[in-house]
Amino acid sequence: LVEVGIASFQFGVCLTYLIFVPANLAQCIYSVFGFQPSKIILMWMMILVEIPLSWIRDIRKLTPTNVIASLLIAFGLASILLIAFTEGSQTRTDALTGDTSFVFADNLKSMKPITESWLFFVGTSFFMMEGSITLIVPMQEAVYSNADRAKFPDLNKNVTVWICLFYIFFSGMASACFGENIQTALTASLHGTLAIVVQFAYSIAVILTFPLQAYPAMEVATRYLMSEQSRSNVMKRNVIASLITISLGIIAVASIDYLGNVVSLLGSLFGIPLALIFPPLMHNSLVVKDSSQTQRNLNYCVVVVGILAMGAASFNTITMWNAGAER
């Protein structure tokens, strides 16, 4: 059940890539050439690139594309922070009082602590688990030596802590500087020459990240869909991988304008169970003799919170689906 949940989550993340990249490229093309291309056509062009990449069976062969993607993302993050700081440090003058203030200060004052879309945020925040949960096992298995593999848990913990701290800083900075007009895909909130470069760089980075994200899920899918005798059949495996990628494209067509909704729903349906429901239950099963009843009850409390959060966030996202359209 957990394995299927992780695989479904990974495919869902790949679905968001198929929505994000066309929207990003469409805005980039419009800014440069002055015409609006079809996001659906751009998405199918991306599918044509991802299909042969989905045929790769050795995760280590994805290292070059992952390194390039990481460098492009680092460039994009630094550029977005620069753009955000530039816009946020501009000043505004109140027409009535004549007082001058910074844009980011005004945006911080006007921010509401809780809004109508708060439950959207619950699902979206758990979507953050897509990288740490779904890729942690294949990343550890890809470590070559046993000595390095033994260091992986501590390294992963430290990296995750720093990533969370950066998330808090980055999201706070972006929200304060861009204000209420901020888009789900942050790159859509950018303007100017540097913004075009960032949008293009992010698009390439996500295209190169897609096969790495899909790899573990593809392995799970082919293991369930292929018999043990036919798993060595490369052609059959490639056909299944291609059909799955095309199926994700078909779903992306129906949700091409609903990136925020898709992210929130994936976080609610898969991120919350993988973070709050399955781990406490597995912990209770693994340490029956070494844990107290109080510890087990606390784990069950976390499970209940997870179930309630999953139900509330999923219901809210589905019932308010049309309100989340971004065209």
Side-chain angles (χ1 to χ4, degrees), residues 141-195:
E141 290 178 349
V143 177
Y144 184 73
S145 67
N146 290 330
D148 289 338
R149 190 173 295 183
K151 300 175 184 176
F152 184 85
D154 287 336
L155 178 63
N156 179 71
K157 179 182 68 176
N158 294 333
V159 170
T160 301
V161 169
W162 281 107
I163 288 175
C164 289
L165 292 175
F166 179 76
Y167 276 176
I168 295 170
F169 166 74
F170 186 87
S171 59
M173 184 79 169
S175 298
C177 294
F178 294 120
E180 295 181 353
N181 296 323
I182 194 168
Q183 301 275 336
T184 301
L186 181 57
T187 51
S189 306
L190 309 179
H191 304 284
T193 304
L194 181 58

Side-chain angles (χ1 to χ4, degrees), residues 5-60:
I6 291 176
S8 300
F9 196 13
Q10 286 173 308
F11 283 136
V13 174
C14 292
L15 173 63
T16 65
Y17 291 173
L18 294 176
I19 299 173
F20 170 79
V21 171
N24 219 32
L25 286 178
Q27 184 171 350
C28 185
I29 293 172
Y30 179 78
S31 300
V32 175
F33 300 104
F35 75 94
Q36 189 73 46
S38 169
K39 290 187 287 186
I40 293 178
I41 292 176
L42 291 174
M43 187 272 297
W44 285 115
M45 291 173 64
M46 180 180 172
I47 290 288
L48 293 177
V49 175
E50 301 300 353
I51 285 177
L53 291 176
S54 69
W55 298 342
I56 296 174
R57 301 192 65 181
D58 186 352
I59 194 172
R60 287 171 292 187

Side-chain angles (χ1 to χ4, degrees), residues 68-78 201-202 205-206 209:
I68 296 173
S70 299
L71 292 174
L72 290 173
I73 289 173
F75 164 75
L77 291 173
Y202 253 103
V206 173
T209 305

Side-chain angles (χ1 to χ4, degrees), residues 101 127 312:
S101 60
F127 184 82

Side-chain angles (χ1 to χ4, degrees), residues 161-279:
V161 169
W162 281 107
I163 288 175
C164 289
L165 292 175
F166 179 76
Y167 276 176
I168 295 170
F169 166 74
F170 186 87
S171 59
M173 184 79 169
S175 298
C177 294
F178 294 120
E180 295 181 353
N181 296 323
I182 194 168
Q183 301 275 336
T184 301
L186 181 57
T187 51
S189 306
L190 309 179
H191 304 284
T193 304
L194 181 58
I196 296 172
V197 177
V198 171
Q199 289 167 347
F200 183 74
Y202 253 103
S203 298
I204 299 301
V206 173
I207 289 172
L208 296 177
T209 305
F210 185 100
L212 177 65
Q213 184 67 50
Y215 175 84
M218 289 292 185
E219 291 300 303
V220 173
T222 52
R223 192 161 64 246
Y224 278 99
L225 296 174
M226 298 173 65
S227 62
E228 191 171 347
Q229 294 77 15
S230 63
R231 285 176 191 169
S232 58
N233 189 326
V234 176
M235 182 61 70
K236 187 174 181 180
R237 194 264 184 197
N238 291 347
V239 169
I240 292 175
S242 301
L243 291 175
I244 291 175
T245 305
I246 292 171
S247 299
L248 290 174
I250 294 172
I251 298 173
V253 170
S255 53
I256 198 74
D257 293 320
Y258 297 91
L259 177 60
N261 294 33
V262 172
V263 168
S264 180
L265 189 61
L266 288 170
S268 302
L269 290 179
F270 299 109
I272 291 177
L274 291 174
L276 297 181
I277 298 177
F278 293 140

